[in-house]
Amino acid sequence: MRGLRLLGCGALAALAMAAAAPSRAAPATPAATIASLDAFDAQKKSVVLPNGLRLAYVEMGNPKGRPVVLIHGYTDNARDWWPLTPYLDKSFRLIIVDIRGHGGSGKPECCYTRVDFAYDIKLLLDALKIDKADIVGHSLGSIITQTFAELWPERTARVVLVSSTGGPRKAAKTGVSTAPAPPAFDFRSAIVKLRDPIDPDSPFMVAWWSSPTPVDEAFIQRQRQDAAKIPVKVWLAVLDQGLEGVDLQATLPKLKAPTLLIWGGKDQIIDMEGRETLREGLPAATVKVFEQLGHNPFWEDAPGVAAEINRFLGHP
């Protein structure tokens, strides 16, 4: 189904591609070590929100600085942003979230609509006594970011959508129905075959986390291990409840905050139609395309992506 294409994580494209990455060297990114990854994870804390969900998050940077919320994608966690954080402006107060069902956050059987995810962010800002923040989201996290900015514009300063989409173009009202185009990659048919416990080193998981540009293997391995701890029923709940049948274009006019759109030119998850509909829905947005990068550009060129985000948020 086309809607599933909106939920991609760092390696969804690999289900239809060879897992081997190009031989060219990746841009400079921090080297992952067990100690450095452990140090990041050790910063994680959690809060029980008024809706009963336990939400885990990491705070970094200047406690009195400009709040910047970072929201990861499907099957990721707060560590998704680990390669980027060393390059973000040190004056920011970073709030890096594990969305519901992921990482150290609660994993209820429901509910996983984009409004549920966004409401968690609103309740977290309430708990932290933050009136207004910049919101940065990747993939599924970008849809959550869009939703938050649409529903709570008074709480939203600036928005950064990384590897996002406006969804498929609406069919013209001609009275003639046409069958939707088949998805580029049939994610769900592979996911429904998963069984608990998920093997983090299975061919499926290795492919799920591949990248067109080399990414530190220690980091990717830790990401796979965490994704494997997510129950299969939650993998499926996010797919089934998250975006299926959602009309992203219909609500885009409600997003009034200044917005930066970032894509990788070699992203196999977000097709050109999805990019075009998002740009059409947000005609005033700033756009940056990293032509040689994929669905996770901030893994592949963390300094370059951070420079764009710093500049947009007002800290060149």
Side-chain angles (χ1 to χ4, degrees):
M1 286 178 266
R2 294 176 64 86
L4 302 188
R5 299 163 73 178
L6 310 181
L7 291 165
C9 75
L12 291 177
L15 295 178
M17 299 169 63
S23 58
R24 65 184 180 85
T29 54
T33 64
I34 299 300
S36 64
L37 296 175
D38 286 346
F40 181 91
D41 293 346
Q43 299 177 77
K44 193 170 290 187
K45 45 194 172 183
S46 64
V47 60
V48 177
L49 303 176
N51 61 3
L53 181 80
R54 185 185 74 257
L55 199 72
Y57 64 100
V58 172
E59 280 199 79
M60 301 177 68
N62 180 1
K64 297 183 179 180
R66 178 173 182 162
V68 179
V69 179
L70 301 170
I71 307 175
H72 64 79
Y74 178 49
T75 75
D76 292 341
N77 56 72
R79 198 189 311 107
D80 192 40
W81 301 100
W82 175 84
L84 185 73
T85 55
Y87 303 103
L88 292 176
D89 193 279
K90 299 301 185 289
S91 68
F92 293 152
R93 177 187 178 185
L94 302 180
I95 299 137
I96 313 172
V97 180
D98 283 348
I99 62 174
R100 61 168 56 211
H102 298 66
S105 290
K107 299 173 176 61
E109 292 189 2
C110 82
C111 299
Y112 293 97
T113 71
R114 64 176 180 139
V115 174
D116 293 316
F117 285 118
Y119 189 50
D120 292 340
I121 302 302
K122 188 265 184 188
L123 293 179
L124 177 63
L125 293 183
D126 290 347
L128 297 177
K129 302 186 185 310
I130 295 172
D131 293 329
K132 198 168 190 176
D134 298 315
I135 315 292
V136 181
H138 169 244
S139 196
L140 172 59
S142 72
I143 306 303
I144 299 168
T145 297
Q146 173 190 331
T147 306
F148 179 92
E150 291 166 354
L151 294 177
W152 294 282
E154 75 283 359
R155 309 292 295 272
T156 309
R158 288 182 168 246
V159 164
V160 180
L161 305 179
V162 184
S163 304
S164 195
T165 177
R169 195 176 301 282
K170 295 179 183 178
K173 294 182 179 180
T174 61
V176 178
S177 62
T178 57
F185 310 107
D186 184 8
F187 311 137
R188 197 179 194 284
S189 65
I191 292 171
V192 296
K193 297 177 183 177
L194 294 176
R195 295 292 181 270
D196 294 319
I198 299 172
D199 178 4
D201 298 317
S202 67
F204 168 82
M205 293 294 279
V206 171
W208 188 261
W209 294 97
S210 72
S211 172
T213 303
V215 177
D216 191 291
E217 179 55 33
F219 167 73
I220 292 295
Q221 185 175 41
R222 184 70 67 93
Q223 293 292 90
R224 290 202 310 265
Q225 291 169 349
D226 275 2
K229 295 175 184 177
I230 300 173
V232 172
K233 65 181 180 181
V234 174
W235 282 61
L236 293 171
V238 177
L239 287 179
D240 293 340
Q241 300 171 33
L243 290 173
E244 187 60 28
V246 171
D247 186 352
L248 296 173
Q249 294 167 53
T251 57
L252 272 175
K254 297 180 181 180
L255 203 171
K256 303 297 186 182
T259 301
L260 169 64
L261 307 178
I262 296 177
W263 283 292
K266 295 185 177 180
D267 188 340
Q268 297 292 319
I269 308 306
I270 307 301
D271 62 18
M272 189 55 66
E273 181 181 63
R275 302 183 201 188
E276 289 174 352
T277 56
L278 186 58
R279 293 178 73 162
E280 291 164 5
L282 299 172
T286 301
V287 178
K288 174 63 180 179
V289 179
F290 291 85
E291 294 293 350
Q292 299 304 313
L293 305 183
H295 190 63
N296 298 274
F298 56 96
W299 294 358
E300 301 167 64
D301 182 5
V305 173
E308 294 296 327
I309 294 175
N310 289 338
R311 186 177 302 111
F312 180 74
L313 298 185
H315 294 260

